């Protein structure tokens, strides 16, 4: 039986500070799944070179924080597609509702993701073709779906921040360079799990990169408080590192 390397969703997965900004992307549909699309503004008419598959946390790809992150990747020259496996029903629509059953919502959302991710990935490949490079990034809820795609021959590299529901089987099946962006305080991906992941990657002789931020907790990569310098810097450095990772493995040598 495959062992657990990152736990299930925790309370930190369901809290957020909304960021401010104006999204630049648009809503499209790929394989029947709502999708956020953000493209490089300066070269929108140019041929697509690299596509980033964005697997969001429980707040979804249309949450303002997620939109701004995807737009940042686009500003760095990438075309970004963010799958809405919640189909317009992200968690923040329910958090203030009395009697909200988080467990039921999560079970429904996991089933939706399991059903929609494979056909969506196929739809992305059909949309952009085989003459482009693909990378994937996932936050919290989205991390295991990154590893599913990383087990195929589609990706050049992948990155995750504060992952959940990661198993040894998923990790061992990955074929691509991996970046892990980690919080000092993370009950879903604590230091013990993190070190097990590192041991397996060393054993596999994988290409990998860990960054670990003190003073922040699970969710910092997309949902930290920008008014708190430590959280703001960690979030921004996380995203800068991911962009650098994507460029490292997609740039022409």
């Amino acid at each position: 039986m495959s062992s657990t390397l990152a736990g299930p969703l925790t309370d930190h997965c369901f809290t957020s500070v909304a960021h401010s900004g104006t999204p630049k992307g648009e809503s499209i549909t790929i394989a029947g799944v709502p999708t956020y699309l953000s493209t490089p503004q300066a070269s929108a008419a140019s041929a697509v070179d690299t596509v980033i598959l964005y697997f969001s946390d429980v707040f979804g790809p249309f949450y303002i924080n997620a939109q701004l992150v995807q737009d940042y990747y686009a500003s760095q020259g990438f075309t970004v597609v963010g799958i809405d496996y919640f189909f317009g029903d992200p968690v923040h629509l329910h958090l203030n509702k009395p009697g909200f059953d988080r467990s039921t919502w999560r079970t429904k959302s996991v089933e939706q993701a399991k059903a929609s991710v494979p056909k969506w990935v196929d739809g992305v490949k059909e949309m952009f073709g085989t003459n482009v490079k693909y990378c994937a990034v996932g936050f919290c809820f989205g991390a295991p779906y990154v590893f599913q795609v990383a087990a195929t021959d589609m990706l050049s590299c992948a990155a995750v921040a504060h992952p959940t529901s990661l198993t040894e089987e998923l990790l061992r099946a990955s074929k691509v360079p991996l970046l892990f962006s980690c919080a000092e305080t993370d009950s879903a991906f604590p230091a013990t799990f993190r070190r097990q992941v590192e041991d397996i990657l060393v054993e596999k002789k994988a290409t990998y990169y860990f960054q670990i931020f003190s003073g922040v907790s699970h969710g910092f990569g997309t949902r930290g408080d920008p008014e708190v310098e430590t959280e703001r810097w960690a979030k921004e450095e996380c995203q800068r590192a991911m962009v650098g990772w994507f460029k490292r493995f997609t740039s022409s040598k």
Side-chain angles (χ1 to χ4, degrees), residues 173-187:
S174 173
K175 299 180 178 182
V176 300
L178 298 170
L179 181 153
F180 286 81
S181 192
C182 310
E184 178 183 39
T185 303
D186 190 338
S187 56

Side-chain angles (χ1 to χ4, degrees), residues 76-185:
Q76 301 301 302
F78 302 108
T79 296
V80 188
V81 284
I83 179 174
D84 182 14
Y85 25 51
F86 307 114
F87 290 86
D89 189 38
V91 76
H92 57 279
L93 299 183
H94 304 281
L95 291 179
N96 294 323
K97 293 181 179 178
F100 170 53
D101 188 337
R102 202 162 73 183
S103 177
T104 298
W105 178 90
R106 180 190 182 281
T107 299
K108 177 202 71 168
S109 298
V110 168
E111 290 304 313
Q112 289 176 174
K114 285 180 179 178
S116 62
V117 166
K119 68 177 183 178
W120 181 81
V121 171
D122 287 343
V124 170
K125 289 188 288 187
E126 183 176 340
M127 179 176 180
F128 294 102
T130 57
N131 293 322
V132 302
K133 297 170 183 175
Y134 294 95
C135 304
V137 61
F139 299 86
C140 183
F141 180 95
Y145 308 107
V146 169
F147 283 95
Q148 287 181 17
V149 186
T152 71
D153 295 320
M154 180 179 181
L155 302 181
S156 296
C157 68
V160 294
H162 34 82
T164 62
S165 304
L166 173 59
T167 65
E168 182 176 342
E169 181 181 13
L170 283 172
L171 182 65
R172 288 190 179 278
S174 173
K175 299 180 178 182
V176 300
L178 298 170
L179 181 153
F180 286 81
S181 192
C182 310
E184 178 183 39
T185 303

Side-chain angles (χ1 to χ4, degrees), residues 14-243:
F14 297 91
T15 60
S16 179
V17 175
H19 300 167
S20 60
T22 302
K24 297 179 180 178
E26 61 180 308
S27 176
I28 64 170
T29 300
I30 298 178
V33 186
T35 302
Y36 185 76
L37 170 68
S38 191
T39 58
Q41 299 300 306
S43 56
S46 302
V48 174
D49 179 61
T50 301
V51 177
I52 306 296
L53 283 67
Y54 184 95
F55 295 91
S56 75
D57 58 25
V58 294
F59 289 75
F62 292 100
Y63 184 54
I64 181 63
N65 299 20
Q67 289 176 314
L68 296 176
V69 168
Q70 291 170 91
D71 290 349
Y72 169 64
Y73 298 155
S75 76
Q76 301 301 302
F78 302 108
T79 296
V80 188
V81 284
I83 179 174
D84 182 14
Y85 25 51
F86 307 114
F87 290 86
D89 189 38
V91 76
H92 57 279
L93 299 183
H94 304 281
L95 291 179
N96 294 323
K97 293 181 179 178
F100 170 53
D101 188 337
R102 202 162 73 183
S103 177
T104 298
W105 178 90
R106 180 190 182 281
T107 299
K108 177 202 71 168
S109 298
V110 168
E111 290 304 313
Q112 289 176 174
K114 285 180 179 178
S116 62
V117 166
K119 68 177 183 178
W120 181 81
V121 171
D122 287 343
V124 170
K125 289 188 288 187
E126 183 176 340
M127 179 176 180
F128 294 102
T130 57
N131 293 322
V132 302
K133 297 170 183 175
Y134 294 95
C135 304
V137 61
F139 299 86
C140 183
F141 180 95
Y145 308 107
V146 169
F147 283 95
Q148 287 181 17
V149 186
T152 71
D153 295 320
M154 180 179 181
L155 302 181
S156 296
C157 68
V160 294
H162 34 82
T164 62
S165 304
L166 173 59
T167 65
E168 182 176 342
E169 181 181 13
L170 283 172
L171 182 65
R172 288 190 179 278
S174 173
K175 299 180 178 182
V176 300
L178 298 170
L179 181 153
F180 286 81
S181 192
C182 310
E184 178 183 39
T185 303
D186 190 338
S187 56
F189 194 52
T192 52
F193 285 1
R194 192 171 69 231
R195 290 164 188 150
Q196 289 179 51
V197 167
E198 183 180 0
D199 288 344
I200 291 169
L201 294 174
V202 170
E203 177 191 329
K204 286 184 59 181
K205 300 188 185 309
T207 298
Y208 66 92
Y209 171 40
F210 277 89
Q211 52 177 189
I212 305 165
F213 294 95
S214 64
V216 297
S217 59
H218 183 98
F220 75 92
T222 51
R223 294 180 274 110
D225 188 344
E227 298 301 315
V228 178
E229 191 276 339
T230 298
E231 296 185 26
R232 182 178 68 250
W233 184 85
K235 179 257 184 185
E236 293 176 353
E237 189 62 24
C238 163
Q239 303 303 344
R240 282 191 291 264
M242 288 180 170
V243 164

